[in-house]
Amino acid sequence: MMPRVIDLGERSPKLRGVHLIVGEGLCSNIYVLGVEEAVLIDAGVGNRLNPVWPQLEEIDVKPEGLRGVAVTHAHHDHIGGVFRILERADPEVYLHRFDAEYVATYIRRLRLVDEGDVIETPLWPLRVIWTPGHTRGSICLYVEDEAILFSGDTVFPWGYYGRYNGETGSYQDIVESLRRLKELQVELLLPGHGGPIYRDAHRHIELAYRNAVSKP
Protein backbone atom coordinates (compact mmCIF):
# COMPACT_ATOMS: atom_id res chain seq x y z
CA MET A 1 0.00 0.00 0.00
CA MET A 2 1.00 3.60 -0.56
CA PRO A 3 0.41 6.43 1.91
CA ARG A 4 -3.12 7.86 1.86
CA VAL A 5 -4.05 11.51 1.34
CA ILE A 6 -7.05 12.85 3.26
CA ASP A 7 -8.65 16.25 2.68
CA LEU A 8 -9.30 17.37 6.25
CA GLY A 9 -11.47 20.23 5.02
CA GLU A 10 -14.09 17.58 4.28
CA ARG A 11 -14.05 16.60 7.97
CA SER A 12 -14.10 20.08 9.49
CA PRO A 13 -14.63 23.50 7.87
CA LYS A 14 -11.91 24.91 10.14
CA LEU A 15 -9.40 22.69 8.30
CA ARG A 16 -10.24 23.80 4.78
CA GLY A 17 -6.96 23.81 2.86
CA VAL A 18 -5.30 21.17 5.09
CA HIS A 19 -4.41 17.71 3.80
CA LEU A 20 -3.16 14.78 5.87
CA ILE A 21 -0.73 12.26 4.43
CA VAL A 22 -1.01 9.04 6.43
CA GLY A 23 2.20 7.06 6.12
CA GLU A 24 2.94 3.36 6.02
CA GLY A 25 4.61 1.67 8.98
CA LEU A 26 6.60 3.74 11.47
CA CYS A 27 6.00 7.11 9.84
CA SER A 28 4.59 10.32 11.25
CA ASN A 29 1.55 12.04 9.89
CA ILE A 30 2.34 14.80 7.42
CA TYR A 31 0.04 17.82 7.43
CA VAL A 32 0.06 19.95 4.27
CA LEU A 33 -1.15 23.53 4.72
CA GLY A 34 -2.14 25.13 1.45
CA VAL A 35 -0.96 24.36 -2.07
CA GLU A 36 0.82 27.44 -3.40
CA GLU A 37 3.43 28.53 -0.84
CA ALA A 38 2.62 25.32 1.05
CA VAL A 39 3.98 24.56 4.51
CA LEU A 40 4.27 21.02 5.87
CA ILE A 41 4.09 20.00 9.50
CA ASP A 42 6.44 17.02 9.83
CA ALA A 43 7.74 15.09 6.84
CA GLY A 44 7.45 11.40 7.67
CA VAL A 45 10.25 8.88 7.56
CA GLY A 46 11.09 9.27 3.88
CA ASN A 47 11.84 5.60 3.23
CA ARG A 48 10.88 3.53 0.17
CA LEU A 49 7.30 3.12 1.38
CA ASN A 50 6.94 6.82 2.21
CA PRO A 51 8.52 8.79 -0.64
CA VAL A 52 6.51 12.00 0.07
CA TRP A 53 6.58 13.49 -3.42
CA PRO A 54 3.88 11.31 -5.05
CA GLN A 55 1.46 12.39 -2.32
CA LEU A 56 2.43 16.05 -2.59
CA GLU A 57 1.89 15.84 -6.34
CA GLU A 58 -1.57 14.37 -5.72
CA ILE A 59 -2.39 17.55 -3.78
CA ASP A 60 -0.79 19.66 -6.58
CA VAL A 61 2.07 20.89 -4.41
CA LYS A 62 5.02 21.54 -6.71
CA PRO A 63 8.69 21.76 -5.64
CA GLU A 64 8.81 25.47 -6.37
CA GLY A 65 5.63 25.98 -4.33
CA LEU A 66 6.85 24.31 -1.14
CA ARG A 67 7.87 27.16 1.15
CA GLY A 68 8.49 25.49 4.51
CA VAL A 69 8.59 22.36 6.66
CA ALA A 70 7.98 22.67 10.40
CA VAL A 71 9.33 19.62 12.22
CA THR A 72 7.91 18.89 15.67
CA HIS A 73 11.04 16.97 16.73
CA ALA A 74 14.06 15.29 15.20
CA HIS A 75 13.13 11.60 15.46
CA HIS A 76 13.66 9.86 12.14
CA ASP A 77 9.97 9.06 11.58
CA HIS A 78 9.23 12.81 11.52
CA ILE A 79 12.33 14.32 9.93
CA GLY A 80 13.60 11.64 7.54
CA GLY A 81 11.25 12.83 4.79
CA VAL A 82 12.89 16.26 4.87
CA PHE A 83 15.84 14.81 2.99
CA ARG A 84 13.52 13.41 0.30
CA ILE A 85 11.97 16.86 0.01
CA LEU A 86 15.35 18.56 -0.27
CA GLU A 87 16.19 16.44 -3.30
CA ARG A 88 13.69 18.49 -5.32
CA ALA A 89 12.83 21.62 -3.35
CA ASP A 90 14.49 24.25 -1.18
CA PRO A 91 12.09 25.10 1.66
CA GLU A 92 12.95 26.61 4.98
CA VAL A 93 13.03 23.92 7.69
CA TYR A 94 11.87 24.95 11.17
CA LEU A 95 13.12 23.00 14.19
CA HIS A 96 13.70 23.72 17.86
CA ARG A 97 17.32 24.53 18.66
CA PHE A 98 17.70 21.60 21.07
CA ASP A 99 16.81 19.05 18.37
CA ALA A 100 18.50 20.94 15.53
CA GLU A 101 21.98 19.89 16.67
CA TYR A 102 21.35 16.43 15.21
CA VAL A 103 20.74 17.66 11.64
CA ALA A 104 22.18 21.17 11.46
CA THR A 105 25.05 20.22 9.15
CA TYR A 106 22.70 18.61 6.61
CA ILE A 107 19.98 21.24 6.14
CA ARG A 108 20.97 24.46 4.41
CA ARG A 109 17.94 26.62 5.20
CA LEU A 110 17.48 25.56 8.79
CA ARG A 111 15.54 28.04 10.94
CA LEU A 112 15.76 27.60 14.70
CA VAL A 113 12.53 28.22 16.61
CA ASP A 114 11.67 28.54 20.28
CA GLU A 115 8.76 29.27 22.59
CA GLY A 116 6.49 32.02 21.25
CA ASP A 117 7.96 32.19 17.74
CA VAL A 118 5.49 32.37 14.85
CA ILE A 119 5.70 30.38 11.62
CA GLU A 120 3.70 31.95 8.80
CA THR A 121 1.66 29.67 6.54
CA PRO A 122 -0.83 30.33 3.73
CA LEU A 123 -3.69 29.48 6.12
CA TRP A 124 -2.83 30.87 9.55
CA PRO A 125 0.18 31.78 11.70
CA LEU A 126 1.42 28.88 13.84
CA ARG A 127 2.62 29.76 17.33
CA VAL A 128 5.47 27.61 18.59
CA ILE A 129 4.94 26.02 22.00
CA TRP A 130 8.04 24.34 23.38
CA THR A 131 6.94 21.02 24.88
CA PRO A 132 9.99 19.02 26.03
CA GLY A 133 9.52 15.52 27.33
CA HIS A 134 9.38 13.22 24.32
CA THR A 135 12.60 14.92 23.22
CA ARG A 136 14.27 17.97 24.69
CA GLY A 137 13.41 20.00 21.59
CA SER A 138 9.84 18.84 20.96
CA ILE A 139 7.35 21.52 19.92
CA CYS A 140 3.63 21.83 19.30
CA LEU A 141 2.12 24.35 16.88
CA TYR A 142 -0.96 26.29 17.92
CA VAL A 143 -3.54 28.20 15.88
CA GLU A 144 -5.04 30.28 18.65
CA ASP A 145 -7.89 31.92 16.71
CA GLU A 146 -9.18 28.53 15.52
CA ALA A 147 -8.28 26.50 18.66
CA ILE A 148 -6.23 24.02 16.60
CA LEU A 149 -3.19 22.21 18.00
CA PHE A 150 -0.66 20.25 15.94
CA SER A 151 0.75 18.16 18.76
CA GLY A 152 3.59 16.08 17.29
CA ASP A 153 4.43 13.25 19.69
CA THR A 154 3.72 15.23 22.85
CA VAL A 155 0.04 14.35 23.21
CA PHE A 156 -2.28 11.98 21.37
CA PRO A 157 -6.04 11.35 21.42
CA TRP A 158 -7.76 9.35 24.13
CA GLY A 159 -5.40 10.26 26.93
CA TYR A 160 -2.14 9.03 25.45
CA TYR A 161 1.10 11.00 25.48
CA GLY A 162 4.62 10.71 24.12
CA ARG A 163 7.20 8.27 25.38
CA TYR A 164 9.83 9.95 27.51
CA ASN A 165 12.46 7.20 27.84
CA GLY A 166 14.54 8.20 24.83
CA GLU A 167 17.96 9.81 24.90
CA THR A 168 16.71 13.34 25.66
CA GLY A 169 13.27 12.46 27.07
CA SER A 170 12.08 13.34 30.56
CA TYR A 171 9.04 12.27 32.58
CA GLN A 172 9.05 15.51 34.57
CA ASP A 173 9.19 17.53 31.35
CA ILE A 174 6.34 15.65 29.64
CA VAL A 175 4.12 16.17 32.69
CA GLU A 176 4.88 19.90 32.73
CA SER A 177 4.32 20.16 28.96
CA LEU A 178 0.94 18.44 29.27
CA ARG A 179 0.02 20.75 32.15
CA ARG A 180 0.72 23.77 29.96
CA LEU A 181 -1.17 22.35 26.99
CA LYS A 182 -4.28 21.63 29.03
CA GLU A 183 -4.53 25.36 29.80
CA LEU A 184 -5.00 26.15 26.09
CA GLN A 185 -8.30 26.38 24.29
CA VAL A 186 -8.08 23.39 21.93
CA GLU A 187 -11.02 22.22 19.86
CA LEU A 188 -9.14 20.28 17.16
CA LEU A 189 -6.13 18.06 17.86
CA LEU A 190 -3.89 16.99 14.98
CA PRO A 191 -1.34 14.53 16.40
CA GLY A 192 1.89 13.16 14.99
CA HIS A 193 0.39 9.65 14.79
CA GLY A 194 -3.19 8.44 14.69
CA GLY A 195 -6.31 10.25 13.57
CA PRO A 196 -7.30 13.85 14.33
CA ILE A 197 -9.87 14.87 16.92
CA TYR A 198 -12.41 17.34 15.52
CA ARG A 199 -14.21 18.52 18.66
CA ASP A 200 -13.60 18.88 22.40
CA ALA A 201 -9.92 18.02 21.96
CA HIS A 202 -9.08 19.75 25.24
CA ARG A 203 -10.72 16.81 27.02
CA HIS A 204 -8.23 14.44 25.44
CA ILE A 205 -5.33 16.63 26.58
CA GLU A 206 -6.71 16.87 30.11
CA LEU A 207 -7.04 13.07 30.22
CA ALA A 208 -3.45 12.66 29.02
CA TYR A 209 -2.28 14.96 31.81
CA ARG A 210 -4.24 13.03 34.42
CA ASN A 211 -2.86 9.76 33.11
CA ALA A 212 0.69 11.11 33.23
CA VAL A 213 0.54 12.46 36.77
CA SER A 214 -1.09 9.27 38.07
CA LYS A 215 1.57 7.04 36.52
CA PRO A 216 2.73 4.57 39.21
Side-chain angles (χ1 to χ4, degrees), residues 7 12 15 34-35 45 60 79 93 101 106 154 160 176 179 181 186 188 198 200:
D7 184 349
S12 169
L15 297 176
V35 175
V45 69
D60 292 326
I79 201 169
V93 177
E101 61 186 82
Y106 305 105
T154 297
Y160 293 96
E176 175 60 17
R179 186 197 65 76
L181 291 178
V186 180
L188 291 89
Y198 299 103
D200 296 330

PDB file of all heavy atoms in Angstrom, residues 7 12 15 34-35 45 60 79 93 101 106 154 160 176 179 181 186 188 198 200:
ATOM      1  N   ASP A   7      -8.307  14.827   2.657  1.00  0.00           N
ATOM      2  CA  ASP A   7      -8.655  16.246   2.677  1.00  0.00           C
ATOM      3  C   ASP A   7      -9.383  16.529   3.986  1.00  0.00           C
ATOM      4  O   ASP A   7     -10.558  16.188   4.148  1.00  0.00           O
ATOM      5  CB  ASP A   7      -9.536  16.575   1.476  1.00  0.00           C
ATOM      6  CG  ASP A   7      -9.863  18.058   1.376  1.00  0.00           C
ATOM      7  OD1 ASP A   7      -9.585  18.800   2.346  1.00  0.00           O
ATOM      8  OD2 ASP A   7     -10.415  18.477   0.344  1.00  0.00           O
ATOM      9  N   SER A  12     -13.810  18.902   8.666  1.00  0.00           N
ATOM     10  CA  SER A  12     -14.096  20.079   9.489  1.00  0.00           C
ATOM     11  C   SER A  12     -13.871  21.342   8.657  1.00  0.00           C
ATOM     12  O   SER A  12     -12.815  21.477   8.027  1.00  0.00           O
ATOM     13  CB  SER A  12     -13.178  20.113  10.711  1.00  0.00           C
ATOM     14  OG  SER A  12     -13.270  21.368  11.385  1.00  0.00           O
ATOM     15  N   LEU A  15     -10.622  23.256   8.883  1.00  0.00           N
ATOM     16  CA  LEU A  15      -9.402  22.685   8.296  1.00  0.00           C
ATOM     17  C   LEU A  15      -9.423  22.749   6.777  1.00  0.00           C
ATOM     18  O   LEU A  15      -8.686  22.009   6.122  1.00  0.00           O
ATOM     19  CB  LEU A  15      -9.229  21.243   8.781  1.00  0.00           C
ATOM     20  CG  LEU A  15      -9.035  21.088  10.295  1.00  0.00           C
ATOM     21  CD1 LEU A  15      -8.974  19.614  10.672  1.00  0.00           C
ATOM     22  CD2 LEU A  15      -7.765  21.803  10.754  1.00  0.00           C
ATOM     23  N   GLY A  34      -2.123  24.394   2.695  1.00  0.00           N
ATOM     24  CA  GLY A  34      -2.139  25.130   1.449  1.00  0.00           C
ATOM     25  C   GLY A  34      -1.537  24.346   0.307  1.00  0.00           C
ATOM     26  O   GLY A  34      -1.078  23.207   0.465  1.00  0.00           O
ATOM     27  N   VAL A  35      -1.529  24.966  -0.863  1.00  0.00           N
ATOM     28  CA  VAL A  35      -0.960  24.360  -2.074  1.00  0.00           C
ATOM     29  C   VAL A  35       0.143  25.258  -2.617  1.00  0.00           C
ATOM     30  O   VAL A  35       1.306  24.872  -2.658  1.00  0.00           O
ATOM     31  CB  VAL A  35      -2.051  24.118  -3.130  1.00  0.00           C
ATOM     32  CG1 VAL A  35      -1.436  23.613  -4.433  1.00  0.00           C
ATOM     33  CG2 VAL A  35      -3.086  23.116  -2.618  1.00  0.00           C
ATOM     34  N   VAL A  45       8.953   9.557   7.457  1.00  0.00           N
ATOM     35  CA  VAL A  45      10.251   8.880   7.561  1.00  0.00           C
ATOM     36  C   VAL A  45      11.057   8.954   6.268  1.00  0.00           C
ATOM     37  O   VAL A  45      12.282   8.835   6.280  1.00  0.00           O
ATOM     38  CB  VAL A  45      10.047   7.422   8.019  1.00  0.00           C
ATOM     39  CG1 VAL A  45       9.366   6.598   6.938  1.00  0.00           C
ATOM     40  CG2 VAL A  45      11.345   6.781   8.467  1.00  0.00           C
ATOM     41  N   ASP A  60      -1.230  18.582  -5.672  1.00  0.00           N
ATOM     42  CA  ASP A  60      -0.794  19.657  -6.583  1.00  0.00           C
ATOM     43  C   ASP A  60       0.229  20.586  -5.965  1.00  0.00           C
ATOM     44  O   ASP A  60       0.389  21.733  -6.409  1.00  0.00           O
ATOM     45  CB  ASP A  60      -1.985  20.477  -7.115  1.00  0.00           C
ATOM     46  CG  ASP A  60      -2.865  19.659  -8.048  1.00  0.00           C
ATOM     47  OD1 ASP A  60      -2.316  18.795  -8.771  1.00  0.00           O
ATOM     48  OD2 ASP A  60      -4.086  19.885  -8.053  1.00  0.00           O
ATOM     49  N   ILE A  79      11.409  13.431  10.661  1.00  0.00           N
ATOM     50  CA  ILE A  79      12.326  14.316   9.934  1.00  0.00           C
ATOM     51  C   ILE A  79      12.985  13.653   8.728  1.00  0.00           C
ATOM     52  O   ILE A  79      13.516  14.331   7.847  1.00  0.00           O
ATOM     53  CB  ILE A  79      13.402  14.876  10.884  1.00  0.00           C
ATOM     54  CG1 ILE A  79      14.012  16.159  10.308  1.00  0.00           C
ATOM     55  CG2 ILE A  79      14.482  13.837  11.195  1.00  0.00           C
ATOM     56  CD1 ILE A  79      14.875  16.923  11.293  1.00  0.00           C
ATOM     57  N   VAL A  93      13.345  25.020   6.774  1.00  0.00           N
ATOM     58  CA  VAL A  93      13.026  23.924   7.690  1.00  0.00           C
ATOM     59  C   VAL A  93      13.097  24.475   9.107  1.00  0.00           C
ATOM     60  O   VAL A  93      14.146  24.968   9.547  1.00  0.00           O
ATOM     61  CB  VAL A  93      13.984  22.733   7.508  1.00  0.00           C
ATOM     62  CG1 VAL A  93      13.666  21.629   8.523  1.00  0.00           C
ATOM     63  CG2 VAL A  93      13.903  22.194   6.085  1.00  0.00           C
ATOM     64  N   GLU A 101      20.564  20.275  16.645  1.00  0.00           N
ATOM     65  CA  GLU A 101      21.978  19.891  16.666  1.00  0.00           C
ATOM     66  C   GLU A 101      22.219  18.559  15.963  1.00  0.00           C
ATOM     67  O   GLU A 101      23.330  18.287  15.502  1.00  0.00           O
ATOM     68  CB  GLU A 101      22.474  19.809  18.107  1.00  0.00           C
ATOM     69  CG  GLU A 101      21.763  18.796  18.959  1.00  0.00           C
ATOM     70  CD  GLU A 101      22.182  18.858  20.423  1.00  0.00           C
ATOM     71  OE1 GLU A 101      21.657  19.717  21.160  1.00  0.00           O
ATOM     72  OE2 GLU A 101      23.045  18.048  20.805  1.00  0.00           O
ATOM     73  N   TYR A 106      23.266  19.213   7.817  1.00  0.00           N
ATOM     74  CA  TYR A 106      22.701  18.608   6.607  1.00  0.00           C
ATOM     75  C   TYR A 106      21.590  19.429   5.961  1.00  0.00           C
ATOM     76  O   TYR A 106      21.149  19.118   4.859  1.00  0.00           O
ATOM     77  CB  TYR A 106      22.134  17.211   6.924  1.00  0.00           C
ATOM     78  CG  TYR A 106      23.134  16.295   7.572  1.00  0.00           C
ATOM     79  CD1 TYR A 106      23.053  16.016   8.930  1.00  0.00           C
ATOM     80  CD2 TYR A 106      24.163  15.716   6.830  1.00  0.00           C
ATOM     81  CE1 TYR A 106      23.978  15.175   9.543  1.00  0.00           C
ATOM     82  CE2 TYR A 106      25.089  14.877   7.432  1.00  0.00           C
ATOM     83  CZ  TYR A 106      24.989  14.612   8.785  1.00  0.00           C
ATOM     84  OH  TYR A 106      25.900  13.782   9.386  1.00  0.00           O
ATOM     85  N   THR A 154       3.884  14.836  21.459  1.00  0.00           N
ATOM     86  CA  THR A 154       3.724  15.232  22.851  1.00  0.00           C
ATOM     87  C   THR A 154       2.431  14.689  23.436  1.00  0.00           C
ATOM     88  O   THR A 154       2.420  14.131  24.540  1.00  0.00           O
ATOM     89  CB  THR A 154       3.778  16.764  22.984  1.00  0.00           C
ATOM     90  OG1 THR A 154       5.068  17.228  22.566  1.00  0.00           O
ATOM     91  CG2 THR A 154       3.547  17.197  24.438  1.00  0.00           C
ATOM     92  N   TYR A 160      -3.509   9.511  25.626  1.00  0.00           N
ATOM     93  CA  TYR A 160      -2.143   9.027  25.453  1.00  0.00           C
ATOM     94  C   TYR A 160      -1.180  10.208  25.297  1.00  0.00           C
ATOM     95  O   TYR A 160      -1.570  11.309  24.898  1.00  0.00           O
ATOM     96  CB  TYR A 160      -2.047   8.105  24.232  1.00  0.00           C
ATOM     97  CG  TYR A 160      -2.797   6.811  24.416  1.00  0.00           C
ATOM     98  CD1 TYR A 160      -4.095   6.665  23.929  1.00  0.00           C
ATOM     99  CD2 TYR A 160      -2.223   5.744  25.104  1.00  0.00           C
ATOM    100  CE1 TYR A 160      -4.804   5.486  24.111  1.00  0.00           C
ATOM    101  CE2 TYR A 160      -2.919   4.555  25.282  1.00  0.00           C
ATOM    102  CZ  TYR A 160      -4.205   4.437  24.786  1.00  0.00           C
ATOM    103  OH  TYR A 160      -4.893   3.267  24.981  1.00  0.00           O
ATOM    104  N   GLU A 176       4.993  18.442  32.752  1.00  0.00           N
ATOM    105  CA  GLU A 176       4.878  19.900  32.725  1.00  0.00           C
ATOM    106  C   GLU A 176       4.362  20.383  31.378  1.00  0.00           C
ATOM    107  O   GLU A 176       3.546  21.319  31.311  1.00  0.00           O
ATOM    108  CB  GLU A 176       6.228  20.534  33.047  1.00  0.00           C
ATOM    109  CG  GLU A 176       6.259  22.051  32.936  1.00  0.00           C
ATOM    110  CD  GLU A 176       5.288  22.770  33.857  1.00  0.00           C
ATOM    111  OE1 GLU A 176       4.791  22.154  34.831  1.00  0.00           O
ATOM    112  OE2 GLU A 176       5.027  23.963  33.596  1.00  0.00           O
ATOM    113  N   ARG A 179       0.702  19.773  31.283  1.00  0.00           N
ATOM    114  CA  ARG A 179       0.017  20.745  32.152  1.00  0.00           C
ATOM    115  C   ARG A 179      -0.188  22.058  31.421  1.00  0.00           C
ATOM    116  O   ARG A 179      -1.273  22.659  31.494  1.00  0.00           O
ATOM    117  CB  ARG A 179       0.827  20.974  33.430  1.00  0.00           C
ATOM    118  CG  ARG A 179       0.108  21.871  34.451  1.00  0.00           C
ATOM    119  CD  ARG A 179       1.060  22.409  35.490  1.00  0.00           C
ATOM    120  NE  ARG A 179       2.060  23.303  34.912  1.00  0.00           N
ATOM    121  CZ  ARG A 179       1.803  24.565  34.545  1.00  0.00           C
ATOM    122  NH1 ARG A 179       0.592  25.078  34.690  1.00  0.00           N
ATOM    123  NH2 ARG A 179       2.762  25.313  34.025  1.00  0.00           N
ATOM    124  N   LEU A 181      -0.268  22.529  28.119  1.00  0.00           N
ATOM    125  CA  LEU A 181      -1.168  22.354  26.987  1.00  0.00           C
ATOM    126  C   LEU A 181      -2.623  22.304  27.428  1.00  0.00           C
ATOM    127  O   LEU A 181      -3.516  22.785  26.712  1.00  0.00           O
ATOM    128  CB  LEU A 181      -0.816  21.086  26.211  1.00  0.00           C
ATOM    129  CG  LEU A 181       0.495  21.101  25.435  1.00  0.00           C
ATOM    130  CD1 LEU A 181       0.714  19.753  24.755  1.00  0.00           C
ATOM    131  CD2 LEU A 181       0.541  22.223  24.399  1.00  0.00           C
ATOM    132  N   VAL A 186      -8.360  24.268  23.065  1.00  0.00           N
ATOM    133  CA  VAL A 186      -8.077  23.386  21.932  1.00  0.00           C
ATOM    134  C   VAL A 186      -9.353  22.640  21.557  1.00  0.00           C
ATOM    135  O   VAL A 186      -9.881  21.862  22.361  1.00  0.00           O
ATOM    136  CB  VAL A 186      -6.950  22.380  22.247  1.00  0.00           C
ATOM    137  CG1 VAL A 186      -6.704  21.481  21.028  1.00  0.00           C
ATOM    138  CG2 VAL A 186      -5.672  23.107  22.644  1.00  0.00           C
ATOM    139  N   LEU A 188      -9.604  21.283  18.115  1.00  0.00           N
ATOM    140  CA  LEU A 188      -9.144  20.276  17.163  1.00  0.00           C
ATOM    141  C   LEU A 188      -7.708  19.894  17.484  1.00  0.00           C
ATOM    142  O   LEU A 188      -6.843  20.766  17.633  1.00  0.00           O
ATOM    143  CB  LEU A 188      -9.213  20.799  15.720  1.00  0.00           C
ATOM    144  CG  LEU A 188     -10.605  21.029  15.127  1.00  0.00           C
ATOM    145  CD1 LEU A 188     -11.076  22.442  15.435  1.00  0.00           C
ATOM    146  CD2 LEU A 188     -10.599  20.807  13.623  1.00  0.00           C
ATOM    147  N   TYR A 198     -11.781  16.186  16.144  1.00  0.00           N
ATOM    148  CA  TYR A 198     -12.406  17.341  15.517  1.00  0.00           C
ATOM    149  C   TYR A 198     -13.268  18.167  16.472  1.00  0.00           C
ATOM    150  O   TYR A 198     -13.765  19.223  16.074  1.00  0.00           O
ATOM    151  CB  TYR A 198     -13.253  16.886  14.328  1.00  0.00           C
ATOM    152  CG  TYR A 198     -12.436  16.195  13.266  1.00  0.00           C
ATOM    153  CD1 TYR A 198     -12.457  14.814  13.144  1.00  0.00           C
ATOM    154  CD2 TYR A 198     -11.617  16.926  12.397  1.00  0.00           C
ATOM    155  CE1 TYR A 198     -11.702  14.170  12.168  1.00  0.00           C
ATOM    156  CE2 TYR A 198     -10.862  16.298  11.429  1.00  0.00           C
ATOM    157  CZ  TYR A 198     -10.905  14.920  11.326  1.00  0.00           C
ATOM    158  OH  TYR A 198     -10.147  14.287  10.367  1.00  0.00           O
ATOM    159  N   ASP A 200     -13.882  19.103  20.974  1.00  0.00           N
ATOM    160  CA  ASP A 200     -13.602  18.880  22.400  1.00  0.00           C
ATOM    161  C   ASP A 200     -12.237  18.236  22.634  1.00  0.00           C
ATOM    162  O   ASP A 200     -12.067  17.415  23.537  1.00  0.00           O
ATOM    163  CB  ASP A 200     -14.689  18.006  23.032  1.00  0.00           C
ATOM    164  CG  ASP A 200     -16.056  18.681  23.021  1.00  0.00           C
ATOM    165  OD1 ASP A 200     -16.100  19.931  23.070  1.00  0.00           O
ATOM    166  OD2 ASP A 200     -17.069  17.964  22.962  1.00  0.00           O
TER     167      ASP A 200
END
